[in-house]
Amino acid sequence: MATASLAFSTPSPLQFRSHRRRRTASIRASVSESPVTATPSSSSSASPSSKLPLRKIPGDYGLPLIGPLQDRLAYFYWEGRDEFFKTRVRRYGSTVFRANMPPGPFLASDPRVIVLLDAASFPVLFDTSLVEKRDVFTGTFMPSTELTGGFRVLSYLDPSEPNHAPLKRLLFFLLSHRRQAVIPEFRRTFGTLFETMEAEIAAKGKADFGDANDRASFDFLARAFFERDPKDTELGLDGPGLITKWVLFQLGPLLTLGLPSYLEDLFLHSFRLPPALIRGDYDRLVAFFRESAGPVLDEAERMGISREEAVHNILFATCFNTFGGMKILFPGLVKLVGRAGAQLHGRLAQEIRAAVRDVGGGEVTMRAIEAMPLTASAAYEALRIEPPVPMQYGRAKRDMVVTSHDAAFEVRAGEMLFGYQPFATKDARVFDRPQEFVADRFVGAEGASLLRYVVWSNGPETESPSTENKQCAGKDFVVLMARLLLVELFLRYDSFEVEVGASALGSSVKLTSLKKATF
């Protein structure tokens, strides 16, 4: 769900390498006269910045206090998030413009941003030579460090800060030290999930995927990374509920929960929820990780990281980044594939079963998974359509020029840049039928060439996370988990049907039928 999610080390036997190519950064700084020009790489679909007209950034921030409040109400209630951006694109005739981003008063001292909504301008947010990533993980405000044990965890650190590199290396170690357990534990845990879904559908006619997914996701992470089953500890079955409450206290100012708007805006968007209200819950999570993550904490000490700082970073990476990502991504993937219908289901089932039989010798192995291009493409397409972390921020380190497809814009040092990813990854200048879920979009050489525009991981899919950048440390791990979910699903079933609703975080999905495998 974030720039500091759980990770595979590089290299790792579990890493997904299909379509991976090392390439130059999508955005490069043209080091010449000030201001610096942020221009797309030669492979981008955007025109060279030297040929684009220089345009003043349209839009304004309104009067102090009043302008940010008006934008917040429009964003959450009067227009809604997507319409908020669409309206201003039409108004200004530009995918780059000025606006205030929530939460604004009285949580964010400066809500002013420059909005980037196209595939040409958006990648400047990944270039840490041009933008600073310090304390911008949640945007124009930062949750209290009381929610993370008093530490600024990795997601809030800029790569230039001394703790960034060792903490990111610790996350690489976190996954790699038990990498052989990932596939077996995933199949064990999510196999149980689908058996539960079958029984619930038989009894009630439908089954809530979301709650079962939360339980399975946390159990899987604990078993795979720490060799611990939460139900056998003092945490019991409470983990997912505690995490969801803890995340709400951090992201509440950015969410709507369906409460009366005047109450929600006052209590959720205007003031911080007191961390003291969930201190006991957080302490229970800390105790679980302190007890369970011994080998990882030992490695942290060898790296020069204190055990106390390490345990809070491991907790954040596991619970916020990874559990939170699975909580959003998996229901979204099931929704999109479910709605695509039986024809796609048949193609996926044939590919998955053939690869497991012919390549894996009847077992789900990495070699077998690599032989499933349609499955991989479907996972990428879900990440393109509904990225788990839809917003990215970065503060300009220097004066620069940022280019859209149609114009160039001067940005001053210190200004906050904001990108709303679902617009950038549905750019009609890049993708055919951008609003549609096209499961085989990334199959073949032509499809693979589009992967550089899949940027859910805070960087292009064609690039790799490192200690020098803010790309999600667990980029390959997340894609592998999405593919494994489809593998487990279509090894068991020929087809399935879903009922979809809205949720504060992602989609609410209920399974209404599971048709058992017949071939």
Side-chain angles (χ1 to χ4, degrees):
M1 178 182 178
T3 59
S5 181
L6 289 177
F8 281 111
S9 64
T10 305
S12 162
L14 283 173
Q15 272 188 312
F16 169 53
R17 293 188 175 88
S18 295
H19 308 318
R20 293 287 301 277
R21 298 192 304 271
R22 298 296 298 173
R23 60 186 292 271
T24 56
S26 297
I27 294 292
R28 62 177 184 269
S30 301
V31 182
S32 54
E33 298 298 320
S34 183
V36 169
T37 302
T39 61
S41 68
S42 59
S43 60
S44 171
S45 64
S47 303
S49 61
S50 61
K51 298 180 181 179
L52 294 172
L54 187 64
R55 181 181 175 189
K56 179 182 177 182
I57 300 175
D60 63 78
Y61 302 117
L63 296 173
L65 187 64
I66 294 174
L69 283 174
Q70 287 177 329
D71 279 354
R72 183 171 81 197
L73 292 171
Y75 178 91
F76 284 123
Y77 307 111
W78 298 343
E79 296 174 312
R81 183 169 65 180
D82 283 14
E83 194 59 34
F84 177 87
F85 296 120
K86 290 177 183 177
T87 298
R88 283 150 184 78
V89 169
R90 291 192 294 266
R91 180 185 304 165
Y92 303 130
S94 175
T95 51
V96 177
F97 55 85
R98 297 183 184 275
N100 299 289
M101 279 301 295
F106 299 94
L107 285 171
S109 60
D110 188 357
R112 299 173 299 173
V113 302
I114 297 170
V115 181
L116 312 175
L117 296 179
D118 60 78
S121 61
F122 193 90
V124 71
L125 293 162
F126 311 142
D127 190 337
T128 54
S129 71
L130 296 177
V131 298
E132 183 182 55
K133 299 295 238 177
R134 180 185 176 94
D135 295 339
V136 299
F137 177 62
T138 48
T140 57
F141 88 108
M142 179 181 172
S144 170
T145 56
E146 290 182 52
L147 295 166
T148 51
F151 293 95
R152 290 173 59 240
V153 293
L154 177 61
S155 290
Y156 293 95
L157 301 182
D158 185 79
S160 65
E161 297 184 72
N163 279 6
H164 183 273
L167 286 172
K168 198 160 186 180
R169 282 195 294 269
L170 179 64
L171 297 193
F172 290 141
F173 173 83
L174 176 60
L175 190 76
S176 65
H177 86 294
R178 278 185 46 79
R179 56 185 175 269
Q180 300 302 332
V182 170
I183 292 176
E185 289 295 355
F186 188 95
R187 297 208 64 202
R188 170 192 170 195
T189 306
F190 281 84
T192 301
L193 175 147
F194 285 119
E195 290 168 2
T196 302
M197 296 287 97
E198 277 191 57
E200 194 169 336
I201 291 171
K204 302 178 182 178
K206 62 179 68 174
D208 187 339
F209 180 79
D211 289 344
N213 177 65
D214 287 356
R215 163 58 48 206
S217 294
F218 185 66
D219 286 351
F220 159 68
L221 294 172
R223 293 167 178 171
F225 299 154
F226 310 116
E227 205 173 359
R228 295 298 299 272
D229 197 325
K231 67 178 173 52
D232 296 332
T233 71
E234 292 187 7
L235 193 60
L237 301 177
D238 297 339
L242 297 179
I243 296 168
T244 300
K245 190 191 305 183
W246 172 67
V247 170
L248 173 64
F249 270 65
Q250 296 174 73
L251 295 185
L254 305 178
L255 303 176
T256 55
L257 302 179
L259 303 174
S261 59
Y262 61 94
L263 288 176
E264 185 175 76
D265 195 62
L266 177 63
F267 292 108
L268 200 62
H269 302 148
S270 301
F271 304 99
R272 295 182 188 273
L273 296 172
L277 294 179
I278 60 163
R279 185 166 296 140
D281 293 343
Y282 184 69
D283 287 346
R284 289 184 65 194
L285 291 170
V286 171
F288 172 79
F289 283 90
R290 188 173 282 124
E291 177 186 350
S292 303
V296 186
L297 296 174
D298 293 342
E299 180 66 17
E301 287 191 310
R302 287 190 285 270
M303 291 180 175
I305 305 167
S306 73
R307 292 182 81 88
E308 193 64 17
E309 183 171 14
V311 77
H312 293 286
N313 273 275
I314 293 165
L315 189 159
F316 193 91
T318 306
C319 297
F320 191 109
N321 296 139
T322 312
F323 170 84
M326 294 169 77
K327 180 181 179 70
I328 296 172
L329 173 60
F330 281 12
L333 178 60
V334 170
K335 175 191 72 175
L336 291 166
V337 173
R339 284 177 165 175
Q343 184 176 3
L344 173 62
H345 299 172
R347 293 172 62 197
L348 286 167
Q350 288 177 353
E351 176 184 84
I352 289 166
R353 294 171 198 176
V356 169
R357 181 187 64 243
D358 300 337
V359 181
E363 299 292 332
V364 176
T365 64
M366 279 305 301
R367 286 188 65 242
I369 293 169
E370 295 283 0
M372 303 174 188
L374 177 61
T375 305
S377 179
Y380 286 133
E381 181 71 341
L383 288 162
R384 180 191 74 86
I385 290 273
E386 295 183 0
V389 182
M391 302 177 184
Q392 277 83 29
Y393 289 82
R395 191 174 297 280
K397 288 184 173 180
R398 65 192 83 172
D399 292 353
M400 68 176 89
V401 174
V402 173
T403 61
S404 69
H405 292 299
D406 302 310
F409 304 89
E410 290 186 341
V411 173
R412 297 303 176 192
E415 291 191 294
M416 181 74 91
L417 298 170
F418 158 77
Y420 184 53
Q421 190 178 143
F423 277 39
T425 56
K426 297 188 186 82
D427 190 332
R429 301 274 191 101
V430 173
F431 294 104
D432 182 41
R433 296 182 290 160
Q435 302 296 328
E436 297 181 31
F437 176 77
V438 181
D440 58 0
R441 187 184 297 276
F442 300 103
V443 173
E446 185 176 352
S449 70
L450 294 172
L451 284 173
R452 65 182 180 273
Y453 299 108
V454 178
V455 294
W456 67 272
S457 64
N458 202 21
E461 193 60 36
T462 49
E463 296 184 9
S464 298
S466 73
T467 56
E468 288 76 39
N469 63 31
K470 290 301 292 181
Q471 189 162 27
C472 173
K475 177 174 77 74
D476 297 310
F477 174 71
V478 171
V479 175
L480 176 61
M481 293 308 99
R483 295 162 75 187
L484 278 172
L485 182 66
L486 294 178
V487 168
E488 192 64 29
L489 180 57
F490 286 107
L491 283 176
R492 290 171 172 269
Y493 309 106
D494 287 343
S495 188
F496 67 99
E497 296 177 348
V498 296
E499 181 181 288
V500 178
S503 170
L505 289 173
S507 302
S508 171
V509 177
K510 291 180 171 60
L511 297 175
T512 57
S513 77
L514 289 166
K515 299 175 182 177
K516 288 191 175 182
T518 58
F519 66 92

